[in-house]
Amino acid sequence: MRTYSLAVLLWSCVFHAIHMIPSQKRTNKHSHSERITGLSENGGKTLHRTKRGWMWNQFFLLEEYTGPDTQYVGKLHTDQDKGDGNLKYILTGDGAGSLFIIDENTGDIHAAKKLDREEKSLYVLRAKAIDRKTGRQVEPESEFIIKIHDINDNEPKFAKDMYTASIPEMSGVGTSVIQVTATDADDANYGNSAKVVYSILQGQPYFSVDPETGIIKTALPDMSRENREQYQVVIQAKDMGGQMGGLSGTTTVNITLTDVNNNPPRFPQSTYHFISPESAPPGTPLGRIKANDPDVGENAEIEYSISNGDGSDMFDIITDKDTQEGIITVKKYMDFENKMLYTLRVEAINTHPDPRFLQLGPFKDTALVKISVEDIDEPPVFSRPWYLIEVDEDAKEGSIIGQVIARDPDTTKNAIKYSVDRHTDLDRIFNIYSGNGSLFISKPLDREETPWHNITVIATEINNPKQSSQIPVFIRILDINDHAPEFAKYYETFVCENAKAGQLIQTVSAVDKDEPPRGHRFFFELVPESAVHPNFSIVDNKDNTAGIMTRRNGYSRNKMSTYLLPIIIFDNDYPIQSSTGTLTIRVCACDSRGNMQSCSAEALLLPAGLSTGALVAILLCIIILLVLVVLFLALKRQRKKEPLIVSKDDVRDNIVTYNDEGGGEEDTQAFDIGTLRNPEAREENKMRRDVIPETIFQIRRTAPLWENIDIQDFIHRRLKENDLDPSAPPYDSLATYAYEGNDSIANSLSSLESLTTEGNQDYDYLSDWGPRFKKLADMYGGEDSDRD
């Protein structure tokens, strides 16, 4: 620090109201300096002390001054001041001119504003004394300090307005909860303004606070969260050591008691009762029970179990983790007729016990659960889950093959009727007696076609058809030996012309549709008529195969190209079945190794050098020649026959025939197809249609061929006559096959033939034909008509 050459500030703790405490004045009446001689550490050098020229008082100022006038701080003065106004005092430094004002003539210093020690406790100022005339300093510039004395104007303040804390319930007395701290802005080194003492205003008798540290502790033992969970504690911090007149501040502390597992679960009632229908399937929930636990979280988690009871194997209990309830469920199907009431003892136990509180007792509880079974109308129950029936395939129609049995499980014991589900027996092979469930056959069975039949039998209560149940019935058809063995395949067997006696030419095997329990065993032999065959023999290999052997040397295709060898095949089941299969053996030409070359007998007649390609070419040439000859003959015949009409205006293409003349005189209502029956066909020679007949009015008599011929036969015959007519034109022409029925009894009424008849005709029969022929009868009938 800078050496003070003008004055020394004196610190004092004496309280000043306004005036300063004077000290001894020092005057400097001699301008020379006093010399002080003495030894020093520097080898005996002489030290000099210069007398001070400044004269003023020591300054102490109170903060927060509230008087009517400005607060007087002190006075600056130097012994050079003669009081004639030649000196001027100047003040510089902290707050000079704003906070501190100096009278430049007298050197008096005043505080212009109220000061706050908490903002600034020390002000460093500098003083000068200047001669007004010369402008020089009469004294060196000096530095001094104004210290602000503290007063108790700040209350203690906490770091937070509100604190949050928690502590486990059931904690012991004196358990620390939280520490709160308050600070005071006043000077801690000046009196007791900043000495803080803590006290509790709210929260007793549950909690207490340490007056010096501010640590909050529990004051009561075994505080229970279940009784009260939240506490609000108000803490006060007071300065002046807690004495009266001190300032204070408060804060609020919210304290929560956390849960511990100090409560066992308890059922609110000792007995529960539920009702369940006997048809409830396994897994069906019947009801819920809950043991109350005042704890929360994992301390309240409960596990339910069935400890004992006569229904422990019929029911189960599961725990709902969300609601902490026990759910009673069905474990097995119930039967009202066997048992109507079940009793269970259910236990509820905490899953997370606290070892500190085990001495309070077992953390579990039990309750009695009674379950009543409710009777319902159940469907019939079969004696088995399924049925297997075996029947021989030769069983007769109507024979009983087995029986299914069902009963009504209810106490009413209703009568039951049986039926076969036809969706499982579309062919209606099986049937059942509705009264006793006996199954019988309705159609023949064939194991080889269907070895298994899977049908469904339905049992229905007669009084309540809605109650029904069904059961699968598996029917196995047992095999009987009803099929004869036969060749396994078609064999193409040949024998070489150069074969030797005893040579194997074919191995045959057999198959059988039957399935004997001990497996197939087939036997082969020749038919009795060919038992001693001159050309071939058969050897049974004892393995369901047989070999065909030659009996002589050499075979000739010219003499015999094919041999038929009948073979009898037997099986070994009962009754023995047999069949005869004929083996066709061809004689073929072979090479020296026995490889077949040709089996056709015609090949021997062809030249040796003629190949197959040459034969095909020859056949094609022959066919082409035949086709040419046929075409030539057809063209020649066409030139001989000239068409009857060569004009382009062939009117036959424009002929329209309206030949529906009705049914003749006998038709009294409408056209009757019956009149087309019984035609008389013509067999006489037809006249040429392209030649003008010699006699236009020639009458051709027709002789009936047969009676009651159908109209279809008549038309077919006429069609055939026209197709075979040699005089018919070679082009299409219109042919009419109309039939007008039999001749009428009036014969012809045309006058074209009247010239050929002699004498008058008798038309009296016209009067008998009815009103339609009355006009004709009047014209031709009777003698008067003839005269007219």
Side-chain angles (χ1 to χ4, degrees), residues 678-707:
N678 303 326
E680 292 183 357
R682 297 173 177 269
E683 285 190 336
E684 63 182 13
N685 294 329
K686 286 189 173 183
M687 298 176 63
R688 292 175 59 89
R689 288 180 287 176
D690 56 348
V691 180
I692 300 175
E694 298 177 357
T695 305
I696 298 177
F697 301 103
Q698 182 178 359
I699 300 175
R700 293 182 293 179
R701 300 294 180 180
T702 60
L705 295 178
W706 58 79
E707 297 294 336

PDB file of all heavy atoms in Angstrom, residues 678-707:
ATOM      1  N   ASN A 678    -100.056 -95.103 -90.529  1.00  0.00           N
ATOM      2  CA  ASN A 678    -100.552 -96.144 -91.438  1.00  0.00           C
ATOM      3  C   ASN A 678    -100.474 -95.722 -92.907  1.00  0.00           C
ATOM      4  O   ASN A 678    -101.488 -95.696 -93.635  1.00  0.00           O
ATOM      5  CB  ASN A 678    -101.999 -96.500 -91.100  1.00  0.00           C
ATOM      6  CG  ASN A 678    -102.114 -96.958 -89.651  1.00  0.00           C
ATOM      7  OD1 ASN A 678    -101.196 -97.589 -89.131  1.00  0.00           O
ATOM      8  ND2 ASN A 678    -103.224 -96.650 -89.016  1.00  0.00           N
ATOM      9  N   PRO A 679     -99.318 -95.289 -93.390  1.00  0.00           N
ATOM     10  CA  PRO A 679     -99.233 -94.964 -94.825  1.00  0.00           C
ATOM     11  C   PRO A 679     -99.160 -96.221 -95.677  1.00  0.00           C
ATOM     12  O   PRO A 679     -98.868 -97.306 -95.180  1.00  0.00           O
ATOM     13  CB  PRO A 679     -97.943 -94.159 -94.884  1.00  0.00           C
ATOM     14  CG  PRO A 679     -97.093 -94.745 -93.800  1.00  0.00           C
ATOM     15  CD  PRO A 679     -98.036 -95.119 -92.713  1.00  0.00           C
ATOM     16  N   GLU A 680     -99.441 -96.045 -96.899  1.00  0.00           N
ATOM     17  CA  GLU A 680     -99.270 -97.132 -97.866  1.00  0.00           C
ATOM     18  C   GLU A 680     -98.141 -96.746 -98.800  1.00  0.00           C
ATOM     19  O   GLU A 680     -98.206 -95.727 -99.479  1.00  0.00           O
ATOM     20  CB  GLU A 680    -100.547 -97.351 -98.667  1.00  0.00           C
ATOM     21  CG  GLU A 680    -101.682 -97.900 -97.792  1.00  0.00           C
ATOM     22  CD  GLU A 680    -102.917 -98.188 -98.631  1.00  0.00           C
ATOM     23  OE1 GLU A 680    -102.838 -97.891 -99.822  1.00  0.00           O
ATOM     24  OE2 GLU A 680    -103.887 -98.669 -98.077  1.00  0.00           O
ATOM     25  N   ALA A 681     -97.110 -97.520 -98.791  1.00  0.00           N
ATOM     26  CA  ALA A 681     -95.931 -97.205 -99.606  1.00  0.00           C
ATOM     27  C   ALA A 681     -96.111 -97.698-101.021  1.00  0.00           C
ATOM     28  O   ALA A 681     -96.943 -98.592-101.291  1.00  0.00           O
ATOM     29  CB  ALA A 681     -94.694 -97.832 -98.966  1.00  0.00           C
ATOM     30  N   ARG A 682     -95.332 -97.113-101.890  1.00  0.00           N
ATOM     31  CA  ARG A 682     -95.362 -97.507-103.286  1.00  0.00           C
ATOM     32  C   ARG A 682     -94.108 -98.322-103.595  1.00  0.00           C
ATOM     33  O   ARG A 682     -93.032 -97.953-103.179  1.00  0.00           O
ATOM     34  CB  ARG A 682     -95.397 -96.286-104.199  1.00  0.00           C
ATOM     35  CG  ARG A 682     -96.650 -95.429-104.030  1.00  0.00           C
ATOM     36  CD  ARG A 682     -96.497 -94.176-104.852  1.00  0.00           C
ATOM     37  NE  ARG A 682     -97.691 -93.364-104.790  1.00  0.00           N
ATOM     38  CZ  ARG A 682     -98.710 -93.430-105.627  1.00  0.00           C
ATOM     39  NH1 ARG A 682     -98.656 -94.284-106.623  1.00  0.00           N
ATOM     40  NH2 ARG A 682     -99.771 -92.654-105.509  1.00  0.00           N
ATOM     41  N   GLU A 683     -94.304 -99.379-104.353  1.00  0.00           N
ATOM     42  CA  GLU A 683     -93.162-100.172-104.765  1.00  0.00           C
ATOM     43  C   GLU A 683     -93.074-100.312-106.285  1.00  0.00           C
ATOM     44  O   GLU A 683     -92.197-100.961-106.802  1.00  0.00           O
ATOM     45  CB  GLU A 683     -93.224-101.570-104.161  1.00  0.00           C
ATOM     46  CG  GLU A 683     -92.867-101.588-102.689  1.00  0.00           C
ATOM     47  CD  GLU A 683     -92.710-103.020-102.198  1.00  0.00           C
ATOM     48  OE1 GLU A 683     -93.281-103.903-102.818  1.00  0.00           O
ATOM     49  OE2 GLU A 683     -91.985-103.211-101.216  1.00  0.00           O
ATOM     50  N   GLU A 684     -94.029 -99.704-106.949  1.00  0.00           N
ATOM     51  CA  GLU A 684     -94.008 -99.854-108.407  1.00  0.00           C
ATOM     52  C   GLU A 684     -92.868 -99.029-108.981  1.00  0.00           C
ATOM     53  O   GLU A 684     -92.340 -98.128-108.336  1.00  0.00           O
ATOM     54  CB  GLU A 684     -95.333 -99.384-108.993  1.00  0.00           C
ATOM     55  CG  GLU A 684     -95.597 -97.905-108.761  1.00  0.00           C
ATOM     56  CD  GLU A 684     -96.945 -97.504-109.321  1.00  0.00           C
ATOM     57  OE1 GLU A 684     -97.725 -98.412-109.651  1.00  0.00           O
ATOM     58  OE2 GLU A 684     -97.182 -96.317-109.403  1.00  0.00           O
ATOM     59  N   ASN A 685     -92.503 -99.346-110.201  1.00  0.00           N
ATOM     60  CA  ASN A 685     -91.412 -98.649-110.852  1.00  0.00           C
ATOM     61  C   ASN A 685     -91.799 -97.207-111.106  1.00  0.00           C
ATOM     62  O   ASN A 685     -92.915 -96.910-111.554  1.00  0.00           O
ATOM     63  CB  ASN A 685     -91.045 -99.316-112.169  1.00  0.00           C
ATOM     64  CG  ASN A 685     -90.481-100.716-111.937  1.00  0.00           C
ATOM     65  OD1 ASN A 685     -89.867-100.950-110.909  1.00  0.00           O
ATOM     66  ND2 ASN A 685     -90.690-101.609-112.887  1.00  0.00           N
ATOM     67  N   LYS A 686     -90.883 -96.340-110.835  1.00  0.00           N
ATOM     68  CA  LYS A 686     -91.151 -94.941-111.035  1.00  0.00           C
ATOM     69  C   LYS A 686     -90.876 -94.579-112.488  1.00  0.00           C
ATOM     70  O   LYS A 686     -90.034 -95.145-113.140  1.00  0.00           O
ATOM     71  CB  LYS A 686     -90.266 -94.093-110.111  1.00  0.00           C
ATOM     72  CG  LYS A 686     -90.695 -94.132-108.675  1.00  0.00           C
ATOM     73  CD  LYS A 686     -89.904 -93.099-107.904  1.00  0.00           C
ATOM     74  CE  LYS A 686     -90.437 -93.005-106.495  1.00  0.00           C
ATOM     75  NZ  LYS A 686     -89.728 -91.964-105.732  1.00  0.00           N
ATOM     76  N   MET A 687     -91.549 -93.556-112.894  1.00  0.00           N
ATOM     77  CA  MET A 687     -91.290 -93.011-114.227  1.00  0.00           C
ATOM     78  C   MET A 687     -90.118 -92.044-114.119  1.00  0.00           C
ATOM     79  O   MET A 687     -89.889 -91.430-113.086  1.00  0.00           O
ATOM     80  CB  MET A 687     -92.540 -92.292-114.765  1.00  0.00           C
ATOM     81  CG  MET A 687     -93.739 -93.220-114.923  1.00  0.00           C
ATOM     82  SD  MET A 687     -95.195 -92.315-115.455  1.00  0.00           S
ATOM     83  CE  MET A 687     -94.633 -91.730-117.035  1.00  0.00           C
ATOM     84  N   ARG A 688     -89.407 -91.918-115.222  1.00  0.00           N
ATOM     85  CA  ARG A 688     -88.297 -90.980-115.253  1.00  0.00           C
ATOM     86  C   ARG A 688     -88.822 -89.573-115.115  1.00  0.00           C
ATOM     87  O   ARG A 688     -89.772 -89.180-115.786  1.00  0.00           O
ATOM     88  CB  ARG A 688     -87.519 -91.125-116.558  1.00  0.00           C
ATOM     89  CG  ARG A 688     -86.764 -92.441-116.674  1.00  0.00           C
ATOM     90  CD  ARG A 688     -86.120 -92.537-118.042  1.00  0.00           C
ATOM     91  NE  ARG A 688     -85.206 -91.445-118.265  1.00  0.00           N
ATOM     92  CZ  ARG A 688     -83.911 -91.475-117.941  1.00  0.00           C
ATOM     93  NH1 ARG A 688     -83.410 -92.542-117.391  1.00  0.00           N
ATOM     94  NH2 ARG A 688     -83.134 -90.429-118.169  1.00  0.00           N
ATOM     95  N   ARG A 689     -88.181 -88.810-114.259  1.00  0.00           N
ATOM     96  CA  ARG A 689     -88.626 -87.448-114.032  1.00  0.00           C
ATOM     97  C   ARG A 689     -88.113 -86.498-115.102  1.00  0.00           C
ATOM     98  O   ARG A 689     -88.543 -85.364-115.179  1.00  0.00           O
ATOM     99  CB  ARG A 689     -88.185 -86.974-112.639  1.00  0.00           C
ATOM    100  CG  ARG A 689     -88.974 -87.651-111.538  1.00  0.00           C
ATOM    101  CD  ARG A 689     -88.513 -87.159-110.192  1.00  0.00           C
ATOM    102  NE  ARG A 689     -87.195 -87.734-109.873  1.00  0.00           N
ATOM    103  CZ  ARG A 689     -86.492 -87.412-108.781  1.00  0.00           C
ATOM    104  NH1 ARG A 689     -86.965 -86.532-107.940  1.00  0.00           N
ATOM    105  NH2 ARG A 689     -85.310 -87.967-108.581  1.00  0.00           N
ATOM    106  N   ASP A 690     -87.155 -86.949-115.890  1.00  0.00           N
ATOM    107  CA  ASP A 690     -86.656 -86.090-116.952  1.00  0.00           C
ATOM    108  C   ASP A 690     -87.220 -86.443-118.329  1.00  0.00           C
ATOM    109  O   ASP A 690     -86.740 -85.980-119.359  1.00  0.00           O
ATOM    110  CB  ASP A 690     -85.135 -86.158-116.997  1.00  0.00           C
ATOM    111  CG  ASP A 690     -84.639 -87.583-117.159  1.00  0.00           C
ATOM    112  OD1 ASP A 690     -85.471 -88.493-117.002  1.00  0.00           O
ATOM    113  OD2 ASP A 690     -83.433 -87.769-117.425  1.00  0.00           O
ATOM    114  N   VAL A 691     -88.272 -87.317-118.371  1.00  0.00           N
ATOM    115  CA  VAL A 691     -88.925 -87.718-119.626  1.00  0.00           C
ATOM    116  C   VAL A 691     -90.394 -87.449-119.495  1.00  0.00           C
ATOM    117  O   VAL A 691     -91.010 -87.780-118.469  1.00  0.00           O
ATOM    118  CB  VAL A 691     -88.663 -89.206-119.937  1.00  0.00           C
ATOM    119  CG1 VAL A 691     -89.348 -89.600-121.218  1.00  0.00           C
ATOM    120  CG2 VAL A 691     -87.161 -89.453-120.020  1.00  0.00           C
ATOM    121  N   ILE A 692     -90.993 -86.871-120.512  1.00  0.00           N
ATOM    122  CA  ILE A 692     -92.428 -86.551-120.472  1.00  0.00           C
ATOM    123  C   ILE A 692     -93.211 -87.846-120.540  1.00  0.00           C
ATOM    124  O   ILE A 692     -92.986 -88.677-121.428  1.00  0.00           O
ATOM    125  CB  ILE A 692     -92.808 -85.630-121.642  1.00  0.00           C
ATOM    126  CG1 ILE A 692     -92.001 -84.325-121.551  1.00  0.00           C
ATOM    127  CG2 ILE A 692     -94.301 -85.362-121.672  1.00  0.00           C
ATOM    128  CD1 ILE A 692     -92.237 -83.412-122.746  1.00  0.00           C
ATOM    129  N   PRO A 693     -94.114 -88.055-119.632  1.00  0.00           N
ATOM    130  CA  PRO A 693     -94.884 -89.323-119.655  1.00  0.00           C
ATOM    131  C   PRO A 693     -95.811 -89.362-120.868  1.00  0.00           C
ATOM    132  O   PRO A 693     -96.268 -88.343-121.389  1.00  0.00           O
ATOM    133  CB  PRO A 693     -95.662 -89.269-118.340  1.00  0.00           C
ATOM    134  CG  PRO A 693     -95.730 -87.834-117.987  1.00  0.00           C
ATOM    135  CD  PRO A 693     -94.489 -87.211-118.523  1.00  0.00           C
ATOM    136  N   GLU A 694     -96.050 -90.610-121.323  1.00  0.00           N
ATOM    137  CA  GLU A 694     -96.902 -90.787-122.497  1.00  0.00           C
ATOM    138  C   GLU A 694     -98.346 -90.435-122.197  1.00  0.00           C
ATOM    139  O   GLU A 694     -99.026 -89.815-122.989  1.00  0.00           O
ATOM    140  CB  GLU A 694     -96.818 -92.235-122.995  1.00  0.00           C
ATOM    141  CG  GLU A 694     -95.402 -92.609-123.447  1.00  0.00           C
ATOM    142  CD  GLU A 694     -95.329 -94.062-123.871  1.00  0.00           C
ATOM    143  OE1 GLU A 694     -96.360 -94.745-123.743  1.00  0.00           O
ATOM    144  OE2 GLU A 694     -94.241 -94.494-124.286  1.00  0.00           O
ATOM    145  N   THR A 695     -98.814 -90.813-121.067  1.00  0.00           N
ATOM    146  CA  THR A 695    -100.208 -90.545-120.713  1.00  0.00           C
ATOM    147  C   THR A 695    -100.210 -89.656-119.503  1.00  0.00           C
ATOM    148  O   THR A 695     -99.687 -90.015-118.450  1.00  0.00           O
ATOM    149  CB  THR A 695    -100.981 -91.829-120.408  1.00  0.00           C
ATOM    150  OG1 THR A 695    -100.837 -92.692-121.521  1.00  0.00           O
ATOM    151  CG2 THR A 695    -102.433 -91.529-120.128  1.00  0.00           C
ATOM    152  N   ILE A 696    -100.783 -88.448-119.692  1.00  0.00           N
ATOM    153  CA  ILE A 696    -100.774 -87.494-118.603  1.00  0.00           C
ATOM    154  C   ILE A 696    -101.681 -87.948-117.493  1.00  0.00           C
ATOM    155  O   ILE A 696    -101.337 -87.878-116.312  1.00  0.00           O
ATOM    156  CB  ILE A 696    -101.183 -86.105-119.113  1.00  0.00           C
ATOM    157  CG1 ILE A 696    -100.163 -85.617-120.154  1.00  0.00           C
ATOM    158  CG2 ILE A 696    -101.296 -85.110-117.977  1.00  0.00           C
ATOM    159  CD1 ILE A 696    -100.528 -84.282-120.752  1.00  0.00           C
ATOM    160  N   PHE A 697    -102.789 -88.459-117.829  1.00  0.00           N
ATOM    161  CA  PHE A 697    -103.791 -88.804-116.839  1.00  0.00           C
ATOM    162  C   PHE A 697    -103.763 -90.281-116.488  1.00  0.00           C
ATOM    163  O   PHE A 697    -104.772 -90.850-116.105  1.00  0.00           O
ATOM    164  CB  PHE A 697    -105.200 -88.414-117.328  1.00  0.00           C
ATOM    165  CG  PHE A 697    -105.330 -86.935-117.629  1.00  0.00           C
ATOM    166  CD1 PHE A 697    -105.327 -86.493-118.953  1.00  0.00           C
ATOM    167  CD2 PHE A 697    -105.399 -86.044-116.607  1.00  0.00           C
ATOM    168  CE1 PHE A 697    -105.439 -85.136-119.206  1.00  0.00           C
ATOM    169  CE2 PHE A 697    -105.510 -84.691-116.865  1.00  0.00           C
ATOM    170  CZ  PHE A 697    -105.529 -84.223-118.174  1.00  0.00           C
ATOM    171  N   GLN A 698    -102.615 -90.874-116.690  1.00  0.00           N
ATOM    172  CA  GLN A 698    -102.529 -92.291-116.356  1.00  0.00           C
ATOM    173  C   GLN A 698    -102.648 -92.485-114.855  1.00  0.00           C
ATOM    174  O   GLN A 698    -101.994 -91.799-114.086  1.00  0.00           O
ATOM    175  CB  GLN A 698    -101.196 -92.865-116.849  1.00  0.00           C
ATOM    176  CG  GLN A 698    -101.063 -94.352-116.569  1.00  0.00           C
ATOM    177  CD  GLN A 698     -99.757 -94.913-117.109  1.00  0.00           C
ATOM    178  OE1 GLN A 698     -98.985 -94.170-117.703  1.00  0.00           O
ATOM    179  NE2 GLN A 698     -99.562 -96.204-116.940  1.00  0.00           N
ATOM    180  N   ILE A 699    -103.502 -93.374-114.483  1.00  0.00           N
ATOM    181  CA  ILE A 699    -103.725 -93.652-113.059  1.00  0.00           C
ATOM    182  C   ILE A 699    -102.826 -94.792-112.646  1.00  0.00           C
ATOM    183  O   ILE A 699    -102.831 -95.853-113.252  1.00  0.00           O
ATOM    184  CB  ILE A 699    -105.208 -94.007-112.801  1.00  0.00           C
ATOM    185  CG1 ILE A 699    -106.090 -92.841-113.217  1.00  0.00           C
ATOM    186  CG2 ILE A 699    -105.416 -94.361-111.329  1.00  0.00           C
ATOM    187  CD1 ILE A 699    -107.572 -93.156-113.111  1.00  0.00           C
ATOM    188  N   ARG A 700    -101.974 -94.469-111.586  1.00  0.00           N
ATOM    189  CA  ARG A 700    -101.062 -95.502-111.075  1.00  0.00           C
ATOM    190  C   ARG A 700    -101.617 -96.054-109.778  1.00  0.00           C
ATOM    191  O   ARG A 700    -101.875 -95.312-108.842  1.00  0.00           O
ATOM    192  CB  ARG A 700     -99.670 -94.904-110.828  1.00  0.00           C
ATOM    193  CG  ARG A 700     -98.977 -94.473-112.138  1.00  0.00           C
ATOM    194  CD  ARG A 700     -97.606 -93.936-111.849  1.00  0.00           C
ATOM    195  NE  ARG A 700     -97.695 -92.705-111.108  1.00  0.00           N
ATOM    196  CZ  ARG A 700     -96.611 -92.014-110.702  1.00  0.00           C
ATOM    197  NH1 ARG A 700     -95.407 -92.489-110.979  1.00  0.00           N
ATOM    198  NH2 ARG A 700     -96.743 -90.892-110.037  1.00  0.00           N
ATOM    199  N   ARG A 701    -101.812 -97.342-109.805  1.00  0.00           N
ATOM    200  CA  ARG A 701    -102.309 -98.016-108.625  1.00  0.00           C
ATOM    201  C   ARG A 701    -101.140 -98.354-107.709  1.00  0.00           C
ATOM    202  O   ARG A 701    -100.092 -98.772-108.147  1.00  0.00           O
ATOM    203  CB  ARG A 701    -103.057 -99.303-109.027  1.00  0.00           C
ATOM    204  CG  ARG A 701    -104.261 -99.062-109.932  1.00  0.00           C
ATOM    205  CD  ARG A 701    -105.332 -98.298-109.162  1.00  0.00           C
ATOM    206  NE  ARG A 701    -106.506 -98.065-110.025  1.00  0.00           N
ATOM    207  CZ  ARG A 701    -107.583 -97.426-109.624  1.00  0.00           C
ATOM    208  NH1 ARG A 701    -107.617 -96.942-108.392  1.00  0.00           N
ATOM    209  NH2 ARG A 701    -108.608 -97.240-110.460  1.00  0.00           N
ATOM    210  N   THR A 702    -101.396 -98.172-106.465  1.00  0.00           N
ATOM    211  CA  THR A 702    -100.368 -98.499-105.448  1.00  0.00           C
ATOM    212  C   THR A 702    -100.858 -99.636-104.612  1.00  0.00           C
ATOM    213  O   THR A 702    -102.033 -99.698-104.230  1.00  0.00           O
ATOM    214  CB  THR A 702    -100.090 -97.296-104.540  1.00  0.00           C
ATOM    215  OG1 THR A 702    -101.272 -96.932-103.881  1.00  0.00           O
ATOM    216  CG2 THR A 702     -99.547 -96.116-105.342  1.00  0.00           C
ATOM    217  N   ALA A 703     -99.936-100.520-104.368  1.00  0.00           N
ATOM    218  CA  ALA A 703    -100.262-101.680-103.534  1.00  0.00           C
ATOM    219  C   ALA A 703     -99.655-101.472-102.144  1.00  0.00           C
ATOM    220  O   ALA A 703     -98.508-101.076-102.011  1.00  0.00           O
ATOM    221  CB  ALA A 703     -99.713-102.960-104.159  1.00  0.00           C
ATOM    222  N   PRO A 704    -100.439-101.669-101.098  1.00  0.00           N
ATOM    223  CA  PRO A 704     -99.895-101.494 -99.728  1.00  0.00           C
ATOM    224  C   PRO A 704     -98.819-102.520 -99.437  1.00  0.00           C
ATOM    225  O   PRO A 704     -98.965-103.687 -99.741  1.00  0.00           O
ATOM    226  CB  PRO A 704    -101.117-101.675 -98.840  1.00  0.00           C
ATOM    227  CG  PRO A 704    -102.043-102.513 -99.657  1.00  0.00           C
ATOM    228  CD  PRO A 704    -101.843-102.149-101.089  1.00  0.00           C
ATOM    229  N   LEU A 705     -97.717-102.051 -98.863  1.00  0.00           N
ATOM    230  CA  LEU A 705     -96.630-102.955 -98.469  1.00  0.00           C
ATOM    231  C   LEU A 705     -96.941-103.642 -97.156  1.00  0.00           C
ATOM    232  O   LEU A 705     -96.752-104.827 -96.986  1.00  0.00           O
ATOM    233  CB  LEU A 705     -95.324-102.175 -98.371  1.00  0.00           C
ATOM    234  CG  LEU A 705     -94.795-101.585 -99.703  1.00  0.00           C
ATOM    235  CD1 LEU A 705     -93.539-100.802 -99.425  1.00  0.00           C
ATOM    236  CD2 LEU A 705     -94.535-102.690-100.703  1.00  0.00           C
ATOM    237  N   TRP A 706     -97.309-102.873 -96.197  1.00  0.00           N
ATOM    238  CA  TRP A 706     -97.654-103.428 -94.882  1.00  0.00           C
ATOM    239  C   TRP A 706     -98.594-102.492 -94.171  1.00  0.00           C
ATOM    240  O   TRP A 706     -98.797-101.353 -94.583  1.00  0.00           O
ATOM    241  CB  TRP A 706     -96.390-103.674 -94.033  1.00  0.00           C
ATOM    242  CG  TRP A 706     -95.583-102.430 -93.840  1.00  0.00           C
ATOM    243  CD1 TRP A 706     -95.800-101.455 -93.011  1.00  0.00           C
ATOM    244  CD2 TRP A 706     -94.435-102.073 -94.586  1.00  0.00           C
ATOM    245  NE1 TRP A 706     -94.882-100.480 -93.124  1.00  0.00           N
ATOM    246  CE2 TRP A 706     -93.997-100.849 -94.114  1.00  0.00           C
ATOM    247  CE3 TRP A 706     -93.714-102.696 -95.646  1.00  0.00           C
ATOM    248  CZ2 TRP A 706     -92.895-100.204 -94.612  1.00  0.00           C
ATOM    249  CZ3 TRP A 706     -92.613-102.043 -96.100  1.00  0.00           C
ATOM    250  CH2 TRP A 706     -92.201-100.817 -95.613  1.00  0.00           C
ATOM    251  N   GLU A 707     -99.171-102.941 -93.161  1.00  0.00           N
ATOM    252  CA  GLU A 707    -100.088-102.136 -92.375  1.00  0.00           C
ATOM    253  C   GLU A 707     -99.354-101.542 -91.163  1.00  0.00           C
ATOM    254  O   GLU A 707     -98.400-102.119 -90.674  1.00  0.00           O
ATOM    255  CB  GLU A 707    -101.269-103.003 -91.893  1.00  0.00           C
ATOM    256  CG  GLU A 707    -102.115-103.561 -93.016  1.00  0.00           C
ATOM    257  CD  GLU A 707    -102.851-102.466 -93.772  1.00  0.00           C
ATOM    258  OE1 GLU A 707    -103.076-101.388 -93.174  1.00  0.00           O
ATOM    259  OE2 GLU A 707    -103.172-102.675 -94.948  1.00  0.00           O
TER     260      GLU A 707
END
